Amino acid sequence: MSQTVYDALVIGSGAAGSFAVKELTAQGLSVLLLEAGPAVGPKDFDPSRKKPPASAINIWERARATIKGQPIQARAAFFTERFSRFFVNDRKNPYTTPRNEPFLWIRGRQGGGRLHSFGRVLLRWTDEDFKIRSRTGKGVDWPISYEEMTPFYDEVETYLGLYGNKDNAPTLPDGVYAKPASLTPAEETFKGAVESRWPERRVVSWRYIAPDADRVPRPLREALASGHLTVQYDAIVRRIVTDEKTGHATGAEYIDRNTGAVSTARAATVVVAASPIESVRLLLNSASAKHPNGLGNSADMLGRYFMDQLPCLAFGSFAGAKGWALDESAPTDPFYNPSGGIFIPRFGEGDRGRGDFDYQGSVGRSPTPNNADARLAFFGFGRMLPYADNRITLDQRRKDAWNIPAPHIRCVMQADEHALLQQQEETLITMIKDVGGELEFIGSPTGLKEMGSGAFPDASPFSRFMFRKWFRKTMCMGAAIHETGGARMGTTRGDSVLNPYNQVWDAPNVIVTDASSFPGSGVAGTTLTVMGLTLRACRNLVAQYKAGQFEA
């Protein structure tokens, strides 16, 4: 019996994969989507699970998740049991790291991927990111610029209907917004205090999308409605199959998550969109006679230059405002908490505190008595430079539940990162103190610093003890959940895995469009850039395919 040969095979259904199937089906291609996890629908968003945590540290929720098989996922800074089904089982999905160099790999395997658990904040990158080497002498320039990305940013933002405002912030380009985003009264006061004291610093609202009431990401829904998409859930891809003569991809071999049955799908083109570490792992595991060191690894670049952003977490209070307020910019969702907050982008050129970092947070959004100081929380994100020995390799001694080699992840800060992270923390401490705030703690991969009454002063002594004990395992590299690199884009095949259109140099009918393709880490969330790059790469791939450049 003849096997169906699809025009395109897409691996993964998150931010990259969902936009890939949307674009490919819109252009009339027959597409097979292979998703490692189950389908997700309304039943997975039971409003009864929306319960307030037992404590600010939610230590017991994390302990229960650990017992059930999620000891790593439960370390995510904002983990709650409500979302536990959107994170993997760590026992079935192991990975390794160098001794004393932990990396926190937070992952989700289901239809829509991490779109069900991410913060939904979508921020543009700038040439501070894309042309970092030209501007600072550090890192490496991308083979594309902000000007080239602008129309794709515009398109994605228009399609998703963002909440946001025209802020005219020099270091954070405005986008296309469908509806305004609000700040709480406490955030307005905080904004005024910061901007009046430091004119080059801007405090703006989040730019975000509201939860999707249909629960299936819109691009995936539209691709399904086209009639051109076939979806195979619970399909764990273990290798991409290639032609022994041309080296081009011919499809993929996958394992049924539940039965263990092995199948092969055939396609003329392949889109790898499984998330950075998973995509690199898959390419490494796709070794063949034509690609002996892994697919796309002829220059020994695959897996190298892996990064995450530098994380720091701070909690405290703000004496400039009392109590709290509910942000009703977006409709109330029965499952998710309200979105919104403040974002402080890179400081402007004239600011002495300027560095490659930014802060995302909130002021006056946590329930607090009306006569008490407003609560504040901030998460800082700093730039990590690409290093060749920060890399993903295969650990042949460890296998997952489907007998696929586990990834070994090395993501270690160097002197530049240590200096920048210290500046990132000290700048936040000073800024909050100087506008009337008081921190209780700030922490990062360098450790926990408590101040005043200390971390979570109202929590039980046991909870505070466990928080301190687990902090290093929680706030290590990976905690930013903005991992990038490993299959970077470039202008020559000698120093990159992909060409400027995300095509694998060694197999141009394969594109990789998740953040593994990023040559630099940036300092803002990766999701909007992933979506825009995916549209750009898919259009180029389709144009070449329709011109007959790839054989089925």
Side-chain angles (χ1 to χ4, degrees):
M1 186 173 71
S2 62
Q3 184 182 14
T4 299
V5 179
Y6 294 90
D7 294 318
L9 168 65
V10 177
I11 302 169
S13 63
S18 62
F19 269 83
V21 296
K22 168 191 175 294
E23 179 62 28
L24 298 172
T25 56
Q27 297 215 34
L29 271 62
S30 61
V31 180
L32 173 64
L33 171 62
L34 296 179
E35 166 52 52
V40 166
K43 70 181 189 315
D44 299 296
F45 299 81
D46 182 358
S48 68
R49 293 174 63 88
K50 187 177 181 179
K51 301 173 182 177
S55 72
I57 305 175
N58 68 346
I59 191 76
W60 298 115
E61 292 189 39
R62 297 174 190 271
R64 286 190 293 267
T66 297
I67 293 170
K68 293 176 181 177
Q70 295 180 304
I72 294 169
Q73 306 307 304
R75 296 178 198 163
F78 301 105
F79 177 87
T80 68
E81 278 186 304
R82 188 192 337 162
F83 294 104
S84 61
R85 67 188 60 201
F86 301 133
F87 296 95
V88 300
N89 181 295
D90 294 309
R91 294 185 188 130
K92 293 183 178 180
N93 296 276
Y95 65 96
T96 60
T97 65
R99 185 182 298 274
N100 299 322
E101 297 292 353
F103 184 87
L104 194 66
W105 186 15
I106 303 302
R107 35 191 317 217
R109 280 185 161 182
Q110 61 272 323
R114 290 192 296 198
L115 289 175
H116 299 297
S117 58
F118 88 125
R120 299 192 299 278
V121 177
L122 299 177
L123 299 168
R124 295 186 177 208
W125 286 26
T126 74
D127 281 337
E128 297 275 0
D129 307 297
F130 299 128
K131 301 302 176 185
I132 182 175
R133 178 117 192 136
S134 297
R135 295 191 173 204
T136 69
K138 297 180 179 181
V140 62
D141 284 349
W142 290 48
I144 59 174
S145 66
Y146 176 71
E147 184 179 7
E148 292 172 84
M149 283 298 298
T150 298
F152 299 100
Y153 281 150
D154 289 349
E155 183 175 345
V156 173
E157 289 167 341
T158 301
Y159 177 77
L160 293 177
L162 266 66
Y163 290 76
N165 308 304
K166 298 290 186 180
D167 297 303
N168 298 311
T171 60
L172 183 67
D174 288 324
V176 181
Y177 307 116
K179 298 178 182 178
S182 300
L183 298 179
T184 64
E187 287 166 347
E188 291 283 6
T189 302
F190 183 88
K191 170 183 172 71
V194 170
E195 293 183 350
S196 63
R197 186 174 181 85
W198 298 281
E200 288 77 22
R201 300 184 189 182
R202 297 298 307 276
V203 179
V204 303
S205 66
W206 286 11
R207 291 136 182 215
Y208 65 93
I209 52 174
D212 194 322
D214 289 300
R215 303 312 187 194
V216 176
R218 181 184 171 191
L220 182 53
R221 291 201 311 271
E222 291 192 359
L224 286 165
S226 73
H228 297 302
L229 177 64
T230 301
V231 183
Q232 183 68 56
Y233 290 105
D234 298 317
I236 298 174
V237 180
R238 70 179 179 189
R239 70 185 186 100
I240 296 169
V241 182
T242 53
D243 184 273
E244 61 182 16
K245 294 181 179 179
T246 66
H248 288 191
T250 59
E253 189 176 85
Y254 64 94
I255 303 168
D256 185 290
R257 183 174 69 98
N258 301 308
T259 68
V262 178
S263 303
T264 302
R266 297 186 63 200
T269 61
V270 175
V271 180
V272 182
S275 82
I277 298 167
E278 198 65 85
S279 289
V280 171
R281 175 198 188 195
L282 171 60
L283 293 168
L284 286 169
N285 204 49
S286 298
S288 64
K290 193 74 173 179
H291 306 284
N293 299 313
L295 180 57
N297 202 23
S298 60
D300 191 31
M301 288 290 107
L302 183 60
R304 295 189 181 274
Y305 303 107
F306 178 70
M307 301 157 282
D308 190 37
Q309 291 168 3
L310 307 179
C312 72
L313 177 68
F315 275 51
S317 59
F318 177 52
K322 303 294 182 181
W324 70 292
L326 188 64
D327 181 357
E328 297 180 338
S329 300
T332 301
D333 188 274
F335 183 78
Y336 288 97
N337 291 336
S339 296
I342 54 179
F343 187 77
I344 306 174
R346 283 185 181 96
F347 305 155
E349 292 287 352
D351 194 314
R352 293 178 60 187
R354 178 178 168 81
D356 255 344
F357 48 78
D358 52 34
Y359 306 104
Q360 182 177 316
S362 65
V363 185
R365 290 176 184 259
S366 298
T368 307
N370 291 334
N371 61 349
D373 291 348
R375 299 293 301 164
L376 62 77
F378 282 97
F379 202 106
F381 301 93
R383 176 264 306 139
M384 186 177 202
L385 292 174
Y387 301 104
D389 57 353
N390 275 344
R391 64 188 300 197
I392 300 160
T393 54
L394 296 181
D395 187 340
Q396 298 291 349
R397 299 168 301 174
R398 292 290 301 274
K399 303 291 177 68
D400 67 13
W402 302 273
N403 205 36
I404 302 172
H408 179 77
I409 305 167
R410 185 182 191 275
C411 186
V412 179
M413 294 190 299
Q414 304 297 327
D416 205 290
E417 284 72 37
H418 279 283
L420 184 65
L421 186 54
Q422 181 178 351
Q423 181 189 359
Q424 178 179 319
E425 290 189 69
E426 291 177 350
T427 301
L428 182 59
I429 292 169
T430 300
M431 181 165 55
I432 290 175
K433 180 180 179 181
D434 285 1
V435 297
E438 181 179 349
L439 286 183
E440 294 161 357
F441 77 87
I442 187 168
S444 72
T446 62
L448 174 66
K449 304 177 185 71
E450 295 189 77
M451 309 159 214
S453 54
F456 302 103
D458 297 328
S460 70
F462 176 74
S463 292
R464 298 182 79 186
F465 168 79
M466 294 304 298
F467 171 77
R468 292 168 182 134
K469 184 176 179 62
W470 283 0
F471 190 83
R472 272 193 184 277
K473 294 182 178 181
T474 298
M475 197 51 52
C476 59
M477 292 307 298
I481 322 181
H482 289 167
E483 63 268 22
T484 55
R488 71 178 184 179
M489 306 161 64
T491 54
T492 64
R493 65 193 309 154
D495 63 3
S496 56
V497 176
L498 312 174
N499 74 11
Y501 282 91
N502 296 75
Q503 292 173 279
V504 175
W505 289 108
D506 301 339
N509 70 330
V510 179
I511 60 174
V512 183
T513 71
D514 57 38
S516 62
S517 66
F518 287 20
S521 76
V523 298
T526 60
T527 307
L528 180 62
T529 300
V530 163
M531 292 169 171
L533 276 179
T534 297
L535 291 182
R536 180 177 179 271
C538 285
R539 284 175 192 165
N540 180 70
L541 184 74
V542 170
Q544 293 186 6
Y545 176 55
K546 289 184 175 179
Q549 295 190 28
F550 311 126
E551 295 181 0

